[in-house]
Structure formats: structure tokens, C-alpha cells
Amino acid sequence: MTVGIPIRRIWPTPATPPLNDAELTALYGRADRPHLRVNFVASLDGAVTLDGYSAGLSGGPDKRVFGLLRMLCDGLLVAAGTLRHEGYRAVRLSEPRRAWRRERGLPEYPTLVVVSGSLDLDPAQAAFADAPVRPVVLTHAGAAPPPGLTDVAELVRCGDERVDVAAGLAELRRRGLGQVLCEGGPHLFGALTAADLVDELCLTVAPLLAGAGPGRITAGDPGAPRELPLRHVLAADDGVLMLRHARDAAAPPPAGAAPPA
Ligand SMILES: NC(=O)c1ccc[n+]([C@@H]2O[C@H](COP(=O)([O-])OP(=O)(O)OC[C@H]3O[C@@H](n4cnc5c(N)ncnc54)[C@H](OP(=O)(O)O)[C@@H]3O)[C@@H](O)[C@H]2O)c1
């Protein structure tokens, strides 16, 4: 089944017919080893937001892949800045996507993992209060939680005075969250890049010029450049490009991928 605006693969195999969800799922897949995938949307001129939010850059094709990537992960990693600013809600998946996960022995939902140094988090925010799986908050040894936070989330301390993202990722893997999808934001992406932890970047390029002002998809302290080879290019019929760059040649598609809704 093809949903909404058609998406086609244009590289390395050009001009394929529109991809259905099973084919899209297979193109992204789950890796056969611990894997950190990062997903962003940006404008042609590199803006990470439009009017302060990512929503203005995202359309149907981006949302479709965004949802499929959530279905594929064990842990959904997001920094506190993005969680607060974008008003993250509880992670939900449709019944066909939950069934897809059950069939592969996965929990019905991925675990939300929030990175916060300040623990300035609202336990009443739906991302915590309505979560189908108890979220994890990666923080550091010195951080004090606000009242109620430990009722709705598990605190995991990595680092003495700031969050050590490498130690945090290792701890997630120890807990069985091997396939991690990071949805940002730029400061977290910058920290993950600096620590050389990024295995894959899925980047949606929206066909518009945002103009000067907004930041890039990465932020923080400068670091060494990292090569990340191109693995596929998809194009939606509205002109949106979807790039997949990854260290390894391919994340093997899950066996017998069934079309999720
Ligand atoms: N276009 C897109 O795809 C996309 C995706 C995501 C976000 N965004 C946009 O990005 C903006 C927010 O991004 P941002 O860069 O300001 O913030 P961010 O990266 O989302 O969050 C930064 C926060 O992460 C926490 N953190 C703790 N330890 C960290 C560490 N070691 N490294 C990095 N972060 C750590 C801190 O939270 P505490 O303050 O709690 O200590 C810090 O303030 C929003 O405008 C959002 O709309 C766009």
C-alpha cells in the first residue's frame, strides 16, 4: 500500500515505482549490531527550524518515514531541549506497527530516552505522564530531580558533572536497547558527533529556502569532521529529498518485513 504523496528511490537504483511501507521499512531496516541512527529535517539552506519549530519543514513524506523509523527502534533518544520546546507527547504506534514489532519479538513500543543535565523536566508532560513504557532519563551524578519525576521515569546517571553520552549509549545497549533512534536536537547531535557515536544520519531536505536566522542541525563545540557515506536517496513527488548516510553499507532489512500501516 502506498500512502499519500508517492516516495521513490532515485539512487542507487533510479526511477523506481512508488515505495510501499514494507519496501520503505526494508530500505531502512534494523542493523545486526548496536546502531545509532539520527533523524533530522532541514531546509535547502540548512535551517533546522521554520518559525522556531521543525514542523514547518516537515510534510507527509517526512512524517511517514519518521513514523517508520520509530517503529524500527528499541530506544527513542531525544534531548531535553527538543522535548520541552516541541512539547513531546507519549510515543504511540498504530496497531499494525505494534503487531509488526510483536511478530519480531520486540516490545510493542520503543522506550523514550531523554537526555537532560538540569533535570528541568515536567513529570506532567505527556511524554512522561502518558508513556506506554516507563521512559529513561539520562543525566549526571549531580543532578537533582524535581518532585514527581522519578514516579514517571527512571533516572540513569552517566557522568559526574555533565551527561556522558558515550556512557549513556553503552548503558542503553546493556539494557537491550541496541537500535537507538535519535530525534535531536542539534546540541545532542553535536555531542554524539563529537564522541564519534553516530552510525547513520537520515536527513530530509525540504525544498525551500528558510533564509538567515535559524541554526543548523548540529550545535555545540566544534569537533573533527566525520565521513558518512551516502546509502540511498529517496524523492517524494512534492520535491522532498530523503537521504540516508551510514557508516556500514547496509542495515540488513528485518526478515519477512510485513507492510505496516
Ligand atoms: N529539524 C529537526 O529535525 C529538529 C529536530 C529536533 C529539534 N529541532 C529543533 O531544535 C531546537 C532545540 O535544539 P537545541 O539544540 O536547542 O537543544 P537539544 O539538543 O534538543 O537539547 C539540548 C539539551 O539537552 C540536554 N543535554 C544534556 N546533556 C547533554 C549533552 N551531553 N549534550 C547535549 N545535550 C545535552 C540539556 O538539557 P537540560 O537543559 O535539561 O540540561 C541541553 O540543554 C528546537 O528549536 C527544535 O524545534 C529540530
Side-chain angles (χ1 to χ4, degrees), residues 5 43 47 55 129 144-145 148 178-179 200 217-218 226 246:
I5 299 167
S43 69
Q179 307 292 305
E200 177 177 339
I217 64 172
T218 192
R226 315 264 180 208

Side-chain angles (χ1 to χ4, degrees), residues 39-42 47-49 52-54 57 79-86 115-121 162-165 183-189 191 217 219:
N39 187 33
F40 271 97
V41 60
V48 72
T49 54
Y53 294 91
S54 58
L57 297 168
T82 292
L83 180 101
R84 288 187 291 254
H85 185 76
E86 298 267 350
V115 181
S116 174
S118 69
L119 290 183
D120 178 16
L121 300 170
R162 63 190 310 269
V163 184
D164 179 335
V165 288
E183 293 183 344
H187 279 92
L188 178 56
F189 184 33
I217 64 172

Side-chain angles (χ1 to χ4, degrees), residues 96-114:
R97 287 183 182 170
R98 296 202 305 276
W100 186 96
R101 292 175 62 89
R102 284 195 302 271
E103 285 160 17
R104 286 154 185 81
L106 302 172
E108 283 204 327
Y109 296 94
T111 301
L112 179 69
V113 181
V114 179

Side-chain angles (χ1 to χ4, degrees), residues 25 28-30 37 68-74 100 179:
T25 300
Y28 287 93
R30 283 169 59 88
R37 167 181 280 159
L68 287 173
L69 297 187
R70 283 187 165 192
M71 179 189 77
L72 286 165
C73 73
D74 300 319
W100 186 96
Q179 307 292 305

Side-chain angles (χ1 to χ4, degrees), residues 6-34:
I7 301 174
R8 302 166 204 276
R9 181 162 59 171
I10 60 171
W11 192 89
T13 312
T16 57
L19 296 160
N20 62 32
D21 276 358
E23 291 164 333
L24 273 176
T25 300
L27 277 173
Y28 287 93
R30 283 169 59 88
D32 60 358
R33 69 203 79 168

